[in-house]
Amino acid sequence: QVQLVESGGGLVQPGGSLRLSCSASGLHFGSFVFNWYRQVPGQERELVARIGIEDQIANYAASAKGRFTISRDKAKESVYLQMNLLKPEDTAVYYCAPEGYFSGIKYWGKGTLVTVSS
């Protein structure tokens, strides 16, 4: 029933920008914190950004801070990740994950691939 669909990934040169989107359905959108994670094959999945139930509250991995911006739109039940000044080390599959206070993270999207290369 829960559906999470990420989009917006692609191939971009270092210094470029991408905007990732996560369309969520089948849950109480406003009751969940939302996270963006990324993963390189063979490596641990890494938290990139998190946005609270209140739009004003957000936090970022040190590697993303100052370059990435997470946002959410309650009416559209969507979460976004604006990625600027991209670096080769940002290359990964990016995943959207809602997080409940009691349930934690139960659902993941299939991910969208971001490749930063010249």
Side-chain angles (χ1 to χ4, degrees), residues 37-40 43-47 93 95-97 108-109:
Y37 280 79
R38 67 187 180 191
Q39 188 171 31
V40 177
Q43 297 185 15
E44 187 175 277
R45 191 167 295 188
E46 173 192 28
L47 177 64
V93 177
Y95 299 91
C96 174
W108 300 85

Side-chain angles (χ1 to χ4, degrees), residues 1-4 24-32 34 77 98 107:
Q1 195 69 29
V2 174
Q3 298 288 327
L4 301 164
S25 62
L27 47 71
H28 264 266
F29 183 83
S31 297
F32 289 85
F34 270 82
E77 295 189 320
Y107 308 101

Side-chain angles (χ1 to χ4, degrees), residues 7-28:
S7 62
L11 213 183
V12 64
Q13 294 188 97
S17 298
L18 286 173
R19 190 192 189 216
L20 307 185
S21 298
C22 171
S23 178
S25 62
L27 47 71
H28 264 266

Side-chain angles (χ1 to χ4, degrees), residues 5-82:
V5 181
E6 302 98 333
S7 62
L11 213 183
V12 64
Q13 294 188 97
S17 298
L18 286 173
R19 190 192 189 216
L20 307 185
S21 298
C22 171
S23 178
S25 62
L27 47 71
H28 264 266
F29 183 83
S31 297
F32 289 85
V33 167
F34 270 82
N35 306 275
W36 282 100
Y37 280 79
R38 67 187 180 191
Q39 188 171 31
V40 177
Q43 297 185 15
E44 187 175 277
R45 191 167 295 188
E46 173 192 28
L47 177 64
V48 179
R50 173 185 287 128
I51 187 164
I53 294 169
E54 300 294 334
D55 290 3
Q56 200 169 3
I57 302 171
N59 52 257
Y60 302 88
S63 60
K65 198 167 188 176
R67 299 187 298 123
F68 295 3
T69 303
I70 188 169
S71 61
R72 64 192 290 165
D73 187 323
K74 189 173 184 178
K76 295 181 179 179
E77 295 189 320
S78 295
V79 183
Y80 308 95
L81 186 67
Q82 179 66 46

